[in-house]
Amino acid sequence: MIDFVRKETYGLKDLEDIVSILRAPGGCPWDGEQTHESLRRGLMEESCEVVEAINEQDPEHLKEELGDVLLQVVFHADIEREAGRFDLDAVADGICKKLIFRHPHVFGEVSVSGSDEVLVNWDELKREEKHQETYTDTLTSVAKSLPALWRAEKVQKKARKAGFDWDDCSGAVDKLSEELGELREAIDLGTNVTEELGDLMFAAVNVSRFVDADPEVCLNAATEKFISRFAKVEALSRAQGKDMKEMTLTELDKLWEEAKRT
């Protein structure tokens, strides 16, 4: 039996101790086998569940999901503590120093007029901190592990700060049309289809910035709309006593248009 005292309530240090106990010899075999790599997907999933709880505006759910993310942080830190490289206190030390450095208007003598100037200073301090000497450095610093649409949007926003952008939405829409034409040509020729499809999607993200629309939200909304209309088409086909697989594309298109009107 592990020497562990149960409490009415626990704190951050308790969580750190529990994770250490679970990973130690005599603890949980599964926890002891985990690595940064094996936990990587879990961290991403837990982060997404935090976002879902925020969208639901459910404080209790949010508290639970934040706890799951916190567990991931403590778990990864404990792996490094065991390896002798750093521990949770070192993680806290690093983020505290970063916050102090990037808020000279709070912890130093710098004056700002508002949040817009705070963001300008933040970018300059981040470039200094990360030793980013060129605009290209800021683009390549965007994590490749981000969802593709999100990464494209961040890269485009950083390019805009270098003055590399259209003045208004019309330029972005024209580029979208241009890329669509190039995709059609690539499909006809049977070459560079993947590249041209990527260019088209990148151009669509550009348009989303000008209309102040989150590309992830746009795509999810389009997916939900498709599912809803697909369900209506299936219901209409069944009402006719038919299986969708047995219908022609023309027949399905007709049902699709009917579904759009309902």
Side-chain angles (χ1 to χ4, degrees), residues 53-90:
I54 292 172
N55 292 342
E56 292 172 354
Q57 297 185 334
D58 184 339
E60 284 301 312
H61 188 196
L62 178 59
K63 180 177 68 174
E64 176 188 351
E65 298 303 341
L66 285 173
D68 290 342
V69 171
L70 181 58
L71 170 59
Q72 292 286 324
V73 173
V74 173
F75 210 118
H76 283 281
D78 195 68
I79 292 174
E80 290 299 307
R81 178 198 61 77
E82 188 178 68
R85 289 184 285 263
F86 63 79
D87 58 12
L88 188 61
D89 282 339

Side-chain angles (χ1 to χ4, degrees), residues 24 40 43 46 72-73 77 92 129 136 149 165 169 176 178 180 202 204 229 241 245 250 261:
R40 180 171 48 200
L43 177 58
E46 299 297 356
Q72 292 286 324
V73 173
E129 184 181 62
T136 301
L149 292 178
D165 205 359
C169 188
L176 183 63
E178 175 189 326
L180 178 58
F202 193 83
R229 289 181 180 171
K245 292 189 297 185
T250 300
R261 293 193 295 270

Side-chain angles (χ1 to χ4, degrees), residues 15-232:
L15 175 59
E16 188 178 8
D17 291 341
I18 288 171
V19 170
S20 180
I21 289 170
L22 291 173
R23 298 193 62 254
C28 174
W30 184 89
D31 288 286
E33 293 171 357
Q34 299 314 299
T35 65
H36 292 309
E37 290 72 22
S38 69
L39 295 170
R40 180 171 48 200
R41 186 179 181 89
L43 177 58
M44 295 176 66
E45 290 176 353
E46 299 297 356
S47 298
C48 289
E49 289 175 9
V50 167
V51 173
E52 184 172 342
I54 292 172
N55 292 342
E56 292 172 354
Q57 297 185 334
D58 184 339
E60 284 301 312
H61 188 196
L62 178 59
K63 180 177 68 174
E64 176 188 351
E65 298 303 341
L66 285 173
D68 290 342
V69 171
L70 181 58
L71 170 59
Q72 292 286 324
V73 173
V74 173
F75 210 118
H76 283 281
D78 195 68
I79 292 174
E80 290 299 307
R81 178 198 61 77
E82 188 178 68
R85 289 184 285 263
F86 63 79
D87 58 12
L88 188 61
D89 282 339
V91 174
D93 174 67
I95 190 60
C96 285
K97 289 176 178 175
K98 179 185 292 186
L99 288 172
I100 293 168
F101 177 74
R102 294 190 187 178
H103 290 82
H105 54 287
V106 177
F107 301 104
E109 303 300 324
V110 174
S111 296
V112 293
S113 58
S115 58
D116 288 343
E117 192 173 350
V118 168
L119 293 177
V120 171
N121 290 344
W122 179 280
D123 284 340
E124 292 178 356
L125 290 166
K126 184 175 181 179
R127 290 182 64 177
E128 177 185 341
E129 184 181 62
K130 301 292 184 181
H131 306 292
Q132 297 169 356
E133 299 179 357
T134 67
Y135 290 118
T136 301
D137 287 341
T138 67
L139 269 59
T140 57
S141 70
V142 178
K144 295 180 176 63
S145 57
L146 284 174
L149 292 178
W150 189 356
R151 181 177 179 232
E153 183 184 26
K154 290 199 68 172
V155 166
Q156 290 170 9
K157 286 182 177 179
K158 289 182 180 295
R160 181 180 181 84
K161 292 176 181 178
F164 192 81
D165 205 359
W166 291 279
D167 293 330
D168 54 45
C169 188
S170 62
V173 172
D174 289 343
K175 184 64 175 177
L176 183 63
S177 299
E178 175 189 326
E179 295 297 350
L180 178 58
E182 292 180 5
L183 175 61
R184 292 183 184 277
E185 182 179 352
I187 292 173
D188 290 340
L189 296 174
T191 59
N192 299 327
V193 174
T194 300
E195 177 184 345
E196 296 301 339
L197 180 58
D199 289 345
L200 178 65
M201 296 171 72
F202 193 83
V205 173
N206 253 325
V207 173
S208 74
R209 290 190 299 107
F210 280 95
V211 296
D212 194 26
D214 185 328
E216 297 278 353
V217 173
C218 292
L219 184 56
N220 279 329
T223 301
E224 290 299 323
K225 182 194 295 184
F226 175 84
I227 293 172
S228 175
R229 289 181 180 171
F230 183 92
K232 292 178 181 178

